[in-house]
Amino acid sequence: MKKVLFIFLLFCIKLTAQIQFVAGVSKNNLGINERLRIDFAMNEEGDNFNPPSFEGFRIVGGPNQSVSFQWINGRKSFEKTYSYFLQPLKKGTFIIKSATIEINGQTYKTSPIKVTVGNAVQEERDPYDPYSNYPYQQQSQQVPISILGKEGVHLVAEIENTSPYVNEPITVVYKIYVSNRTMVGNYMIDQNPKYNNFWSQNIDIKPVVQQAKFKGEMYRYLVLRKTILYPQKAGKLVIEPLTLDVEVEIPTGETDFFGQPITTLGHKKVSAGAKTITVKPLPEVGKPANFTGAVGKFDFKVIPSKTSVRAGESIDLKLQVTGKGNLKLFTLPKPVVPPSLEMYDPEHQENVQTPLTGMEGSIQDIYTIIPQAKGKFPIKPMTFSYFDLATKTYKTIISKEITLFVEEGDASAVSNEPTSNKTKITSRSIFAFIKTKTELVSQSKQDFLGSGLFYGLLIAPFLAIPAIIAFRRKKSAMDADVTGNRIRLSNKLAKKYLSEAQKQLGNKEPFYIALERALHNFLKAKLHIETSDMSKDIIKELLAAKKAEDASIEQFIALVESCEFARYAPSTSTSIQNDYNLAVSIISDLEKQIS
């Protein structure tokens, strides 16, 4: 049995050892004007390939995929490669961090690669190398403005109605159009639009690339944002533009060895432009005196919970408006009740959805009313007025009169328990239940003096004195241990900020701020250094002195750099989740390794 188990373990080790995921570069030393090729190769098919950030470089080509699959003498040979072509942005020494991929349910990482970028070099063009630097050297480092003007990237704000009434909804749809001759990479929002004098709400959308004609030719386009606006005043209102910084791949007009067009990367700011909306005021002719700004199509109801009560009991009076329009932007009428009816402030409730066509649903105010005396009390009819966009006229809805019939109440049976905005009425039974079982209680009682409880309470303070002394000594020792207290505090803060980072997985900037603080406090606890003394070289030396593994140290430094970089660069939810998982893994590994 032991022999079989041993063979099985060797077989598993062999299978594991066969999986390889490595990174290689065309050269480790290059000039500022040269390009670098980096390949990520694996010998098994994988999923969720995640390249590094390539700090200090700009991607000018790729990712290109190549797959090789062969059977030789009954043995399978497989290789898949992701290739990138990079242009250095400045001189210096850079670390290309690890790429990751999942193969057979396990995550594999490449080793970091050190690349040194020096002064520009002059070299001959290799006619057999389509990626040689000769075409790149023939073009300027800066993309000409004349080229940037022809790349076919346009940002458009489409407005359905540019002449609405006050509080009439309008929709603004932001689209980016990209010519089929142009490729775009990432984009960043340079300026968000401002909606002064508008009530606004963004609509959640799922981005889908589509085709449409634009300026006489076919373009790809993507809807970036949809916003519902309700103008709050009449006149000419300006919607300030949305502006993007787009990374554009532009043909240079030259071709490579194979006749393929050579492209270069440039950055262009595209703007949707300011839009002017002419808002019409609501007509004054026929405007009801009780009009509070409701615009749309509505129904109005007044519903009492009951009409027959006893004095001191409560009822709920519900005023409800349902329909489609600016439901969140007007107030409901207030009931007028006789002095004998005590009325409390209303509880406001909303059930409103906001699709592209505007707000729809219902709002209601619920009043609690308590009659104080017997009698018959009328609640006068209430009126609700709104401006109907379909007929361009004012409409008024009048509720029915409500009569409350109040009977004599038992004042002693009423218990008032005030809440924030109403009174809750609780009634009790007039007659208590008649007990059928007799329970006798002895009249002779034991004196407290001399009882067991008396002696227990007498001795308890003396027994507590040693515990109090021990506690105070321990507390004094802990207070005197300044270094220990600082380490414990840093440990506590590291756990707190790591937990905070987990809560902020959907928010990029707060996530990376919390994650960076967690890493700093972890270092303060383990290496006994302050934040002001932290540098990458010092951290490496101290971790190495603590006998941490080199791979873990490199991963930790790379994660700190990633946090610093990601706060100012676009990130996806997948990369945020990967950074969090990596932080948990690295902290756990260093906890075990640091002595």
Side-chain angles (χ1 to χ4, degrees), residues 57-359:
F57 295 87
R58 175 179 293 167
I59 300 175
V60 295
N64 300 331
Q65 296 185 36
S66 62
V67 178
S68 173
F69 187 85
Q70 296 178 337
W71 285 91
I72 302 175
N73 296 328
R75 298 184 65 182
K76 181 182 75 170
S77 173
F78 174 87
E79 184 176 75
K80 183 175 182 179
T81 304
Y82 291 91
S83 299
Y84 290 84
F85 297 91
L86 310 177
Q87 174 65 40
L89 299 175
K90 57 184 179 180
K91 294 186 289 184
T93 300
F94 304 94
I95 301 295
I96 298 179
K97 301 170 186 175
S98 302
T100 61
I101 197 167
E102 292 182 9
I103 302 177
N104 296 334
Q106 294 187 358
T107 301
Y108 292 83
K109 301 178 182 179
T110 60
S111 299
I113 299 177
K114 182 178 180 181
V115 176
T116 301
V117 179
N119 295 324
V121 297
Q122 182 179 3
E123 55 182 346
E124 298 286 333
R125 179 188 181 223
D126 183 355
Y128 299 101
D129 182 8
Y131 298 104
S132 65
N133 297 301
Y134 177 78
Y136 182 78
Q137 293 169 357
Q138 299 301 313
Q139 61 192 12
S140 173
Q141 294 289 335
Q142 298 294 328
V143 181
I145 296 178
S146 60
I147 294 178
L148 279 175
K150 301 177 181 179
E151 80 295 342
V153 179
H154 307 275
L155 184 62
V156 177
E158 297 180 354
I159 301 177
E160 182 180 0
N161 182 8
T162 58
S163 183
Y165 282 99
V166 172
N167 270 317
E168 180 181 359
I170 62 174
T171 304
V172 183
V173 181
Y174 295 95
K175 296 180 181 179
I176 183 169
Y177 285 87
V178 180
S179 170
N180 292 324
R181 299 175 285 102
T182 305
M183 296 295 295
V184 298
N186 293 327
Y187 70 87
M188 295 182 63
I189 296 177
D190 188 67
Q191 177 183 343
N192 269 308
K194 295 180 180 179
Y195 307 111
N196 297 325
N197 298 310
F198 289 92
W199 182 94
S200 64
Q201 180 167 328
N202 291 328
I203 307 299
D204 293 333
I205 58 172
K206 184 178 181 181
V208 178
V209 178
Q210 303 177 63
Q211 290 275 348
K213 267 199 170 184
F214 182 76
K215 293 190 175 182
E217 66 174 283
M218 292 303 296
Y219 271 72
R220 295 161 292 158
Y221 76 90
L222 184 70
V223 177
L224 299 178
R225 180 183 297 182
K226 293 182 179 181
T227 304
I228 295 290
L229 301 178
Y230 284 84
Q232 298 300 292
K233 61 181 288 187
K236 292 186 180 296
L237 304 183
V238 177
I239 300 176
E240 297 187 17
L242 170 67
T243 305
L244 303 179
D245 185 351
V246 185
E247 188 179 71
V248 186
E249 187 174 324
I250 308 166
T252 62
E254 302 179 4
T255 58
D256 61 14
F257 178 76
F258 295 101
Q260 298 296 320
I262 298 174
T263 61
T264 186
L265 287 178
H267 286 263
K268 182 186 179 185
K269 289 186 179 181
V270 291
S271 173
K275 302 294 180 182
T276 301
I277 308 297
T278 303
V279 183
K280 297 178 291 187
L282 296 176
E284 293 295 329
V285 178
K287 180 184 289 188
N290 66 328
F291 179 71
T292 59
V295 177
K297 183 69 174 178
F298 304 104
D299 187 22
F300 175 63
K301 293 180 181 179
V302 179
I303 307 169
S305 59
K306 51 189 173 181
T307 56
S308 296
V309 294
R310 296 172 65 89
E313 293 182 351
S314 68
I315 67 167
D316 287 337
L317 186 66
K318 179 167 66 177
L319 282 65
Q320 183 181 65
V321 171
T322 59
K324 183 177 180 181
N326 60 333
L327 287 162
K328 297 183 179 181
L329 303 175
F330 60 83
T331 57
L332 293 174
K334 185 175 181 179
V336 178
V337 299
S340 295
L341 300 180
E342 186 175 358
M343 185 172 68
Y344 293 84
D345 292 337
E347 176 186 354
H348 185 74
Q349 296 179 354
E350 295 181 355
N351 182 18
V352 181
Q353 296 80 40
T354 310
L356 277 176
T357 53
M359 287 186 274

Side-chain angles (χ1 to χ4, degrees), residues 12 48 67-68 97 108 124 176 265 319 367 392 427 499 512 565 573:
C12 293
N48 300 324
V67 178
S68 173
K97 301 170 186 175
Y108 292 83
E124 298 286 333
I176 183 169
L265 287 178
L319 282 65
Y367 291 84
K392 304 294 189 295
S427 62
S499 176
Y512 281 108
F565 176 77
S573 58

Side-chain angles (χ1 to χ4, degrees), residues 336-411:
V336 178
V337 299
S340 295
L341 300 180
E342 186 175 358
M343 185 172 68
Y344 293 84
D345 292 337
E347 176 186 354
H348 185 74
Q349 296 179 354
E350 295 181 355
N351 182 18
V352 181
Q353 296 80 40
T354 310
L356 277 176
T357 53
M359 287 186 274
E360 57 186 36
S362 66
I363 61 172
Q364 58 188 20
D365 285 344
I366 302 176
Y367 291 84
T368 296
I369 298 176
I370 303 176
Q372 300 298 314
K374 178 182 177 181
K376 182 180 176 181
F377 303 99
I379 298 178
K380 295 180 180 180
M382 283 170 276
T383 59
F384 172 74
S385 299
Y386 66 93
F387 182 74
D388 189 347
L389 291 170
T391 61
K392 304 294 189 295
T393 59
Y394 292 96
K395 299 289 181 68
T396 298
I397 302 174
I398 303 175
S399 67
K400 296 180 181 180
E401 181 176 278
I402 298 171
T403 302
L404 294 184
F405 298 93
V406 183
E407 299 177 0
E408 191 72 35
D410 183 5

